[in-house]
């Protein structure tokens, strides 16, 4: 029979055996299991893992008192699975209890992410108005097109940063993003057409061929680690898009504090669910992707 041990004892023993693991994995395990030991360390290991305690802990608030993200829940579950397997091998846990725990941890219930879309809707209204003080015209035009495209497609920045001018339909009524065709409404089409005119001015300053990406830099930037300079007209990264978004929102907050909480995730939440018929299609008039058979 497994001897009676507490959660704290089992965690302490397991964490002492993580030396050979990948540093990133080890860091996640230590972070999650230390929190488990802090909260349930005096309780019996079998009691917590074999009952509802482990499922409740997976979705418990973070140290900051906020609901955990889906990624946090997954990381907690992964760390506890490692603890369960160790406890079973060390005979600190019986097989039925371990099986019950692993069944819960295999597909942990992730909390629903509910975002208040009110700040995002307010942002769209504000984006249709006057340019805020301190924001250049080129950045403002790109911001409006970015925000409206974000709200209509719901695509993450990694997909938006990859989109090419050729991924727009010739009449600008749709865009292909992440393998899905997204229709674009009139305001978004007009914002994109204005941006395309501005983009043409920006890329004209480059020497050599024009980059295919839709979103390009309106100002030069210097990489914080390498010191490499990215010139005006060069493609902007997903991180750059997020930073540019936040910079403009910060400027807008001076005129309306209600925008302070707005993030790209709030704007993305406005997007309708794409139809199945829109997946994996080529837009009329759009150029085929590099490497395709078309």
């Amino acid at each position: 029979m497994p001897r009676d041990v507490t959660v704290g004892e089992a965690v302490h023993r397991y964490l002492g055996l993580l030396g050979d693991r990948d540093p990133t994995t080890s860091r996640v395990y230590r972070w999650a299991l230390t929190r488990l030991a802090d909260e349930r360390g005096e309780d019996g290991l079998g009691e917590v893992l074999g009952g509802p305690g482990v499922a409740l802990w997976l979705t418990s608030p973070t140290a900051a008192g906020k609901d955990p993200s889906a990624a946090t829940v997954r990381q907690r579950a992964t760390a506890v699975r490692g603890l369960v397997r160790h406890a079973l091998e060390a005979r600190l846990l019986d097989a039925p209890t371990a099986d019950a725990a692993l069944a819960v941890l295999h597909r942990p219930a992730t909390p629903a992410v509910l975002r208040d879309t009110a700040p995002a809707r307010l942002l769209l209204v504000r984006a249709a108005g006057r340019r805020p003080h301190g924001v250049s015209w080129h950045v403002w035009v790109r911001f409006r097109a970015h925000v409206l495209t974000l709200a209509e497609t719901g695509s993450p920045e990694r997909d938006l940063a990859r989109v090419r001018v050729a991924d727009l339909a010739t009449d600008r009524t749709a865009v292909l993003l992440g393998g899905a065709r997204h229709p674009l409404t009139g305001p978004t089409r007009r914002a994109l057409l204005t941006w395309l005119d501005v983009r043409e001015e920006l890329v004209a300053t480059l020497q050599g061929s024009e980059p295919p990406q839709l979103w390009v830099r309106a100002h030069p930037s210097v990489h914080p680690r390498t010191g490499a300079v990215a010139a005006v007209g060069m493609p902007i990264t997903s991180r750059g898009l997020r930073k540019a978004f936040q910079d403009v929102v910060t400027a807008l907050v001076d005129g309306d504090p209600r925008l302070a909480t707005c993030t790209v995730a709030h704007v993305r939440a406005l997007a309708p669910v794409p139809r199945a018929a829109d997946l994996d299609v080529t837009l009329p008039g759009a150029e085929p992707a590099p490497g395709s058979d078309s």
Side-chain angles (χ1 to χ4, degrees), residues 84-187:
V84 170
R85 295 188 182 100
H86 161 73
L88 184 60
E89 292 173 359
R91 298 186 179 182
L92 304 178
L93 204 63
D94 59 53
T97 303
D99 290 342
L102 291 174
V104 172
L105 296 165
H106 178 61
R107 283 187 175 274
T110 56
V113 179
L114 302 176
R115 303 191 191 280
D116 181 8
T117 58
R121 295 183 185 282
L122 180 62
L123 179 65
L124 293 185
V125 173
R126 184 62 185 84
R130 297 178 59 184
R131 173 168 56 98
H133 177 72
V135 176
S136 71
W137 170 247
H138 293 161
V139 170
W140 179 242
V141 171
R142 186 185 63 197
F143 172 80
R144 286 192 304 183
H146 173 209
V147 166
L148 288 170
T149 303
L150 190 66
E152 292 211 332
T153 66
S155 298
E157 264 61 37
R158 64 176 179 273
D159 288 341
L160 284 175
R162 293 171 184 161
V163 69
R164 306 165 304 157
V165 174
D167 292 325
L168 289 168
T170 51
D171 58 1
R172 311 314 188 202
T173 57
V175 62
L176 192 61
L177 271 166
R181 178 188 181 278
H182 298 272
L184 300 174
T185 61

Side-chain angles (χ1 to χ4, degrees), residues 118-119 121-127 132 248-262:
R121 295 183 185 282
L122 180 62
L123 179 65
L124 293 185
V125 173
R126 184 62 185 84
V248 176
V249 170
T250 299
L252 289 170
V253 167
D254 288 340
D256 194 334
R258 293 175 296 174
L259 293 172
T261 60
C262 191

Side-chain angles (χ1 to χ4, degrees), residues 8-28:
E9 291 172 336
V11 167
H12 177 74
R13 174 171 173 169
Y14 180 53
L15 292 183
L17 302 175
L18 293 181
D20 294 335
R21 285 188 176 273
D22 175 79
T24 301
T25 302
S26 179
R27 185 166 58 251
V28 170

Side-chain angles (χ1 to χ4, degrees), residues 37-101:
D38 289 343
E39 296 184 12
R40 305 298 302 269
E42 299 299 320
D43 297 330
L45 182 66
E47 174 190 351
V48 172
L49 296 181
V54 66
L56 292 174
W57 177 76
L58 288 177
T59 55
S60 65
T62 65
K66 298 180 179 180
D67 289 335
S69 66
T72 295
V73 175
R74 288 194 299 269
Q75 289 173 339
R76 288 176 177 177
T78 299
V80 179
R81 283 198 298 270
L83 175 65
V84 170
R85 295 188 182 100
H86 161 73
L88 184 60
E89 292 173 359
R91 298 186 179 182
L92 304 178
L93 204 63
D94 59 53
T97 303
D99 290 342

